[in-house]
Amino acid sequence: MFEANYLRFHRRLPTVIQPSSCAITAHALERSCRFVHIDASHLYHHVRADIAAARQLLAEDGIVSLDDFRSPHTPGVAAATWEAVLTTGLKPVVLTENKLYGTWGSPDDVRDTLADRLATHPTLWGVTEDVAGHTLLRVHSR
């Protein structure tokens, strides 16, 4: 189903890498990704390593998505995420109920474009907030 849906929007299938996420940098070129989604282990030390790998793999203005960053059963994800914001230069761009999207590049264009689109969205709305020296967009259902 994934492949059929993907091919609706793209000419060819992506390269899917399935070993442990700690091995991802051996399979993908540095700075070769526009988007990295982290959703593997919920343990702090694993998420911390995944964030470091994402930083290595992302292009200059690439986006990382961290799943379950604020779920009660995943405190390790939250700890590793906010540690990256405070110590590695990860800039939070968007927060949803379950995900944080961030970049080590410039967050302004992505955040502002999304905020403009949300202004007329029928089921979602957003509000900006300053957190730890960063302006981020919190997205909610109407």
Side-chain angles (χ1 to χ4, degrees):
M1 285 179 30
F2 166 79
E3 290 178 354
N5 189 48
Y6 191 88
L7 289 172
R8 289 176 48 216
F9 302 97
H10 305 280
R11 290 184 207 160
R12 59 189 165 103
L13 291 172
T15 301
V16 177
I17 302 166
Q18 291 181 306
S20 171
S21 58
C22 66
I24 190 68
T25 56
H27 297 277
L29 296 174
E30 189 170 314
R31 307 276 179 249
S32 66
C33 299
R34 294 181 302 153
F35 181 80
V36 172
H37 183 252
I38 297 176
D39 185 14
S41 172
H42 294 134
L43 300 176
Y44 165 78
H45 64 280
H46 290 158
V47 178
R48 190 172 190 251
D50 290 347
I51 291 170
R55 185 176 188 189
Q56 187 176 341
L57 296 175
L58 282 171
E60 182 179 344
D61 287 326
I63 299 290
V64 61
S65 171
L66 292 128
D67 192 54
D68 293 329
F69 87 101
R70 63 184 229 178
S71 297
H73 68 284
T74 60
V77 179
T81 300
W82 289 110
E83 177 185 61
V85 169
L86 295 172
T87 66
T88 74
L90 177 63
K91 299 168 194 81
V93 179
V94 176
L95 300 177
T96 69
E97 188 172 316
N98 293 318
K99 296 185 188 296
L100 180 142
Y101 297 86
T103 184
W104 281 275
S106 174
D108 298 338
D109 288 342
V110 173
R111 183 193 59 240
D112 295 346
T113 299
L114 183 56
D116 288 346
R117 290 184 182 183
L118 287 173
T120 59
H121 196 280
T123 61
L124 299 173
W125 63 278
V127 61
T128 58
E129 182 175 332
D130 290 331
V131 177
H134 302 280
T135 301
L136 52 88
L137 179 64
R138 291 188 297 120
V139 177
H140 304 277
S141 296
R142 289 194 190 269

